[in-house]
Amino acid sequence: MNDQYPETFPIEIERDKLCRFYRVQSFIACSIVPFAFGFLFGGASTSKDRQRDFENAEQVWSEFLRGAITGIGWGLLIGATLYFVFGHFAARRWATALEVAVEGDFLRVKEGGSTRRDRKLHFRAIVDYATFQNPLMRLCEIDGILITTTSGGVYSTINVYAVKNALEVRDMLSEIDRLREDS
């Protein structure tokens, strides 16, 4: 069994697509709560004094929808502000910080924006490689590799997003794992 792979080499990450993925994910996370509260509070803003002036149910619904749409607008404005403060610029840092490389008998995964995590996994500790893609990843045209380790607990699985040619990389990592685990 000959190991034809280099001792050390990086795994390619599609950083621009990953940055877009992180930005969309951040916008959704920052906007969903203000959007929902805006809808609820805006729709419920019909005052009790005005409720007596309604002649039919159509006017009640019209007033409710007017308030709900106003609330949604305010919610999205607040969400967009939160996104630009917390997510927009951080997404570039997160995408730039992700590095995956094979280093001899180890797989090294560096990630994080403000809090960095640098993991060096021995191939013997890796149990499984899988590819994954959720709807948001499909929208951003990226694939990921899910690495399962023997450690158990919260850190037993590692998600690596935006791996270029994820299926080929998964197969290559499995082959390297098989070759280097036996040596």
Side-chain angles (χ1 to χ4, degrees), residues 73-171:
W74 279 106
L76 287 177
L77 182 65
I78 292 167
T81 304
L82 290 172
Y83 160 73
F84 275 105
V85 170
F86 296 111
H88 183 77
F89 300 107
R92 176 61 63 193
R93 282 194 314 270
W94 296 332
T96 305
L98 180 62
E99 293 179 23
V100 182
V102 173
E103 297 178 353
D105 291 341
F106 297 92
L107 180 66
R108 186 171 194 171
V109 180
K110 293 168 63 174
E111 60 187 342
S114 57
T115 302
R116 304 239 172 173
R117 181 179 303 135
D118 186 355
R119 297 187 68 180
K120 199 168 183 178
L121 305 163
H122 199 287
F123 279 113
R124 279 184 287 198
I126 299 173
V127 176
D128 185 41
Y129 301 92
T131 59
F132 68 98
Q133 187 182 53
N134 62 34
L136 185 57
M137 291 171 70
R138 272 192 294 282
L139 178 71
C140 297
E141 300 173 345
I142 62 173
D143 292 318
I145 294 181
L146 178 74
I147 301 166
T148 307
T149 65
T150 59
S151 67
V154 177
Y155 297 111
S156 65
T157 58
I158 301 167
N159 295 328
V160 181
Y161 294 97
V163 175
K164 191 172 188 174
N165 301 323
L167 289 171
E168 294 170 14
V169 170
R170 179 204 59 192
D171 295 340

